[in-house]
C-alpha cells in the first residue's frame, strides 16, 4: 500500500523543516523538495497535497524562485505560506507589492470560519507575520478569507481548485491555532486519512529491512546515542544475529556510560545481536598526549575512532550492509532535499566511509525527525533513559577538558558531571533544560581546605535551554541546586577546589567549552 504524502516545496524559507514536522504531527507523512524539483518528479510522487514555503525574495522581481504554472492544474490541493502565498497570487493574476506597513510578530487576524482551512478556528486569532510585501489584490477566482488592519488579504482561497494562500506562518507556534489550520488543510482539504504512525513505521521498516538483507551480514557502529541505538534495535528486530554492533569506548564517555551501553546491547541485554565492545581508552589517551588545541583533539579522536572501527571490521571480514544513523534533518541540511542554505555538510550523508568492506548502506532513520526517532525508540521498547538522552558530542569529554587530556582529568570531569546530573535530575530540572554537563577548566587557583592551602582545579557547570542548538540561553538553575552540587563536588572530587557556573548564552559563547 502506498503511503499518503504531502510535499513541501521549499522556496528558501527558514521554517521548511518545521512545516514538515507539523504536518507529520498530524500523522501525515511529509517530504521537503527544492522548488527546482522537476514537476514530473512531483507528479510521480502523487502527493495528496502540496505546501509552498516562505522565502526571502520578492515575487515580482526577476530571478525570484517560481514554479511551473502547471502545478495549479494538477488537481492537487496547494497551500501557499508567506512567499508561497504571494507566488500563488502573482502567478494566477493577483497583485503583490511592497506593503505600506511592514507586519512583524504576533498579529491579530480576522478569519472567515466558513473556510475549510479555518474550520473551528476562532474568528479573531493570533498569527505570526513576517513580511515586507503583501497581497494587494487576490487573484481572479479567489476570495479573501482572512484580513488584518494592515493587510487586506491575509488569506485567500479558491476552494473549487483546492488552492489556499496564507500570508502568516501557521507552522510557527506563535500562531496560536496554526496546527489546527494545517490539520484542516491535510484532512479537510486534501482528504488525508492520517496513516503516518510510528507503530506502522516500525513494522514496515522491519519488513523491508528483512527483504533487503536476506541472509546478508550487517555491521553497525553503536555509540549509545539515540540515533545509533534506535537503528541498532530496529536492525536486530529485523535480522537478529546477522547484525554485529561495534561499540568503541574511547575513554571519553560519561561516568559508567560504557557499562550502561553494554548492559543494554551486550550478551546480558534483551536484544539478539553480536555485540563487540572495544576498550580503546589507552590508545586514545596516548594519541592525545600533549594536545591542547580543540580542533586537533576533534580530528585525532575522529580519526582514531575510524582506525579502531576499521580494525574490528577487518576481523569480521566482508559484510553486506553497513548501518548508518542518518536522520532527516541531516539529509535536508546537506542540501539533498530542500532549498535552504547548506548549513553543514553532514558526514553521514554523501561521503560513504571507504574503510570498511561492504556492499551497501542501510539508513533506516533517513526519513525521520529527531522526535520521531524517539517515538520509534519507545515503540521498540528501548529504555527511556536511552531514548531521551541529552545530546553528547562525538569527541565526548575530550572537548570538556580544556587543555591537555589525561586519564586523571577524565575521571575528575566524569565524577563532577555525574554529581551535577544527579542533582539536576533530583531537582526535576532535567526536563526543563536541553543540555547540561560539567567541564574541567585548566585554571588552577588557591584555596583552603581544613587548615591547608590548596592549589587545585576549577570545575565549570553548564546548563542551557535551546530549541535548535544554534542559539542557547544559560538556564536559571536555582541557587540551592548549584550550591548543593558545589559542596558535593569539592568534597567528593579530588583536586577540585572551586566550582563556577557558566552564565553565558550562545552567542557569544558556544554550548561546549571547546
Ligand atoms: P556548540 O558547542 O557548537 O554545540 O554550541 C552545539 C551542539 O553540538 C554539539 N557538539 C558536537 N557534537 N561533535 C559532535 O558530535 C562535535 O565536535 C561537537 N561539538 C559540539 C554540542 O554538544 C551541542 O549539542
Amino acid at each position: 500500500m502506498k503511503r499518503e504524502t504531502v510535499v513541501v516545496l521549499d522556496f528558501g524559507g527558514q521554517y521548511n523543516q518545521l512545516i514538515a514536522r507539523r504536518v507529520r504531527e498530524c500523522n501525515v507523512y511529509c517530504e521537503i523538495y527544492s522548488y527546482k524539483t522537476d514537476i514530473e518528479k512531483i507528479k510521480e510522487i502523487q502527493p495528496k497535497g502540496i505546501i509552498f514555503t516562505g522565502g526571502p525574495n520578492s515575487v515580482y522581481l526577476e530571478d525570484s524562485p517560481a514554479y511551473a504554472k502547471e502545478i495549479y492544474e494538477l488537481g492537487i490541493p496547494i497551500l501557499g505560506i508567506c512567499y508561497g502565498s504571494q507566488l500563488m497570487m502573482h502567478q494566477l493574476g493577483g497583485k503583490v507589492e511592497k506593503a505600506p506597513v511592514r507586519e512583524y510578530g504576533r498579529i491579530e487576524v480576522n478569519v472567515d470560519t466558513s473556510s475549510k482551512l479555518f474550520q473551528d478556528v476562532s474568528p479573531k486569532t493570533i498569527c505570526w507575520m513576517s513580511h515586507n510585501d503583501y497581497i494587494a489584490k487576490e487573484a481572479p477566482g479567489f476570495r479573501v478569507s482572512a484580513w488584518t488592519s494592515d493587510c487586506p488579504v491575509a488569506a485567500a482561497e479558491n476552494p473549487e481548485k483546492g488552492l489556499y494562500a496564507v500570508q502568516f506562518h501557521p507552522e510557527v507556534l506563535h500562531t496560536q491555532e496554526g496546527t489546527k489550520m494545517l490539520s484542516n488543510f491535510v484532512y479537510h482539504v486534501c482528504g488525508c486519512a492520517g496513516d503516518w504512525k510510528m507503530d506502522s513505521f516500525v513494522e514496515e521498516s522491519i519488513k523491508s529491512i528483512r527483504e533487503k538483507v536476506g541472509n546478508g551480514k550487517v555491521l553497525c557502529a553503536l555509540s549509545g546515542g539515540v540515533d545509533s541505538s534506535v537503528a541498532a534495535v530496529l536492525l536486530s528486530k529485523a535480522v537478529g544475529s546477522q547484525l554485529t554492533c561495534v561499540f568503541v569506548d574511547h575513554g571519553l564517555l560519561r561516568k559508567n556510560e560504557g557499562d550502561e551501553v553494554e548492559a543494554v546491547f551486550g550478551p546480558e541485554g534483551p536484544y539478539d545481536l553480536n555485540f563487540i565492545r572495544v576498550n580503546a581508552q589507552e590508545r586514545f589517551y596516548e594519541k592525545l598526549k600533549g594536545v591542547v588545541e580543540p580542533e586537533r583533539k576533534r580530528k585525532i579522536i575522529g580519526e582514531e575512532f575510524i582506525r579502531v572501527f576499521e580494525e574490528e571490521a577487518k576481523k569480521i571480514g566482508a559484510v553486506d550492509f553497513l548501518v548508518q544513523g542518518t536522520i532527516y534533518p541531516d539529509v535536508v541540511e546537506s542540501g539533498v532535499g530542500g532549498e535552504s542554505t547548506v548549513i553543514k555538510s553532514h558526514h553521514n550523508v554523501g561521503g560513504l566511509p571507504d574503510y570498511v568492506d561492504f556492499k551497501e548502506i542501510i539508513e533506516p532513520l533517513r526519513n525521520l525527525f529527531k522526535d520521531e526517532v524517539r517515538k520509534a525508540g519507545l515503540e521498540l521498547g528501548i529504555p527511556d533513559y536511552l531514548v531521551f538522552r541529552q545530546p553528547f558530542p562525538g569527541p565526548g569529554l575530550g572537548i570538556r577538558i580544556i587543555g591537555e587530556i589525561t586519564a586523571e582529568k577524565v575521571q575528575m570531569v566524569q565524577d563532577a558531571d555525574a554529581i551535577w546530573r544527579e542533582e539536576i535530575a533530583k531537582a526535576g530540572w532535567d526536563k526543563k533544560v536541553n543540555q547540561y554537563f560539567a567541564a574541567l577548566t585548566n585554571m588552577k587557583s588557591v584555596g583552603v581546605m581544613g587548615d591547608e592551602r590548596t592549589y587545585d582545579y576549577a570545575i565549570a557547570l553548564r546548563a542551557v535551554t535551546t530549541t535548535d542548538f544554534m542559539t542557547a540561553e544559560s538556564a536559571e538553575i536555582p541557587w540551592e541546586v548549584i550550591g548543593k552540587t558545589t559542596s558535593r563536588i569539592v568534597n567528593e572530587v579530588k583536586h577540585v577546589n572551586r566550582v563556577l557556573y557558566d552564565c553565558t548564552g550562545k552567542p557569544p559563547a558556544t554550548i561546549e567549552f571547546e
Side-chain angles (χ1 to χ4, degrees), residues 231-431:
V233 173
L234 200 52
L235 261 297
S236 109
K237 298 250 173 176
V239 300
S241 59
Q242 286 161 256
L243 169 71
T244 300
C245 288
V246 174
F247 167 59
V248 178
D249 185 342
H250 52 24
L252 301 163
L253 297 169
R254 284 164 291 200
K255 191 172 181 174
N256 301 330
E257 199 170 11
D259 295 342
E260 282 169 19
V261 172
E262 184 166 353
V264 175
F265 294 99
E268 308 295 322
Y271 303 113
D272 180 24
L273 52 85
N274 303 302
F275 177 82
I276 299 172
R277 173 174 178 173
V278 192
N279 291 316
Q281 292 88 331
E282 296 312 322
R283 261 178 89 152
F284 280 86
Y285 297 161
E286 191 54 40
K287 286 273 171 190
L288 288 164
K289 216 177 234 171
V291 179
V292 296
E293 211 276 308
E295 286 310 305
R296 262 201 78 211
K297 284 187 191 174
R298 278 195 171 79
K299 209 158 181 265
I300 290 170
I301 297 168
E303 276 173 6
E304 199 57 17
F305 183 90
I306 291 175
R307 294 287 87 76
V308 176
F309 187 66
E310 184 177 42
E311 285 169 25
E312 289 310 311
K314 274 204 186 113
K315 286 185 208 158
I316 298 167
V319 295
D320 302 287
F321 301 92
L322 182 73
V323 182
Q324 297 226 310
T326 318
I327 67 172
Y328 197 52
D330 304 333
V331 177
V332 177
E333 280 165 24
S334 304
V336 181
E339 190 46 39
S340 24
T341 334
V342 175
I343 298 160
K344 55 175 178 179
S345 53
H346 197 277
H347 62 278
N348 274 343
V349 182
L352 299 183
D354 51 8
Y355 50 89
V356 179
D357 189 8
F358 68 97
K359 285 195 211 119
E360 214 179 314
I361 202 125
I362 298 186
E363 296 175 306
L365 313 177
R366 199 182 159 82
N367 293 328
L368 301 191
F369 284 110
K370 194 84 179 183
D371 46 334
E372 293 175 322
V373 174
R374 293 208 162 95
K375 279 190 205 149
L378 293 176
E379 201 60 52
L380 286 160
I382 302 175
D384 277 25
Y385 74 88
L386 272 184
V387 168
F388 294 103
R389 190 162 256 191
Q390 55 166 325
F392 187 63
L397 301 178
I399 55 169
R400 291 181 184 171
I401 294 169
I402 301 178
E404 190 184 2
I405 297 165
T406 64
E408 293 69 36
K409 286 185 179 177
V410 170
Q411 194 173 350
M412 283 160 74
V413 76
Q414 275 179 340
D415 289 342
D417 180 68
I419 293 170
W420 180 224
R421 285 190 288 135
E422 195 183 314
E423 293 303 327
I424 287 255
K426 256 199 252 166
W429 272 80
D430 52 339
K431 311 269 184 316

Side-chain angles (χ1 to χ4, degrees), residues 295 298 347 390-396 399-400 434-435 437 462 464 466 468-472 506 509-514:
E295 286 310 305
R298 278 195 171 79
H347 62 278
Q390 55 166 325
F392 187 63
I399 55 169
R400 291 181 184 171
N434 305 99
Q435 200 169 2
F437 55 86
R462 186 112 171 100
V464 298
T466 171
D468 56 6
F469 296 90
M470 312 285 268
T471 61
K506 172 184 179 177
T510 52
I511 295 174
E512 301 289 348
F513 282 70
E514 289 199 327

Side-chain angles (χ1 to χ4, degrees), residues 104-109 125-129 173-176:
Y104 182 81
R106 293 182 179 85
I107 309 270
E108 188 179 74
V109 178
T125 184
I126 301 294
C127 299
W128 182 258
M129 291 274 200
L173 286 179
H174 302 308
T175 297
Q176 287 173 357

